[in-house]
Amino acid sequence: MATIVYPGRYDQLSEISKFVEEAAENAGFSKSEVYSIQLAVDEACANIINHAYGGEGKGDIACTCETDTRSITITLRDFGRPFNPDEVPLPKRHTDINNANV
């Protein structure tokens, strides 16, 4: 298990991606699988920067990679604003999509 803490900035996403790539390759994933893992981590990190911190340079992202034979567990930890799914309004299920205000 290895953990590296990165500044929460977009220019650090490539460094996080390299760290994840190495761990995924060492766990035996194919190039295609590694790419998919990197893409998911990249999106999650961008969400941390955008939503937990509200912008770049406002906090760190701790990335932990745990690997085993053909398995990887990646934990991303931030210290920003927490997300509460109970505070998200329910979607309007009976809206006419042809007349919806988007």
Side-chain angles (χ1 to χ4, degrees):
M1 176 171 64
T3 300
I4 300 180
V5 178
Y6 298 90
R9 297 192 321 258
Y10 295 114
D11 65 358
Q12 293 298 298
L13 295 180
S14 63
E15 294 302 314
I16 296 170
S17 185
K18 288 177 193 173
F19 176 59
V20 169
E21 176 182 27
E22 183 178 328
E25 286 176 346
N26 288 341
F29 288 95
S30 70
K31 289 193 181 297
S32 174
E33 292 167 327
V34 170
Y35 175 77
S36 294
I37 293 166
Q38 288 175 294
L39 185 62
V41 170
D42 187 72
E43 177 68 19
C45 289
N47 284 339
I48 289 170
I49 294 168
N50 287 329
H51 302 294
Y53 292 130
E56 289 187 272
K58 297 181 180 179
D60 294 330
I61 299 171
C63 181
T64 302
C65 293
E66 295 180 69
T67 59
D68 201 345
T69 306
R70 283 288 295 154
S71 73
I72 186 168
T73 301
I74 299 169
T75 304
L76 299 171
R77 181 168 183 193
D78 68 77
F79 307 93
R81 189 173 48 241
F83 173 72
N84 183 348
D86 294 332
E87 293 176 0
V88 177
L90 293 174
K92 295 178 183 175
R93 295 173 49 189
H94 301 291
T95 300
D96 180 359
I97 63 170
N98 294 317
N99 295 318
N101 293 329
V102 181

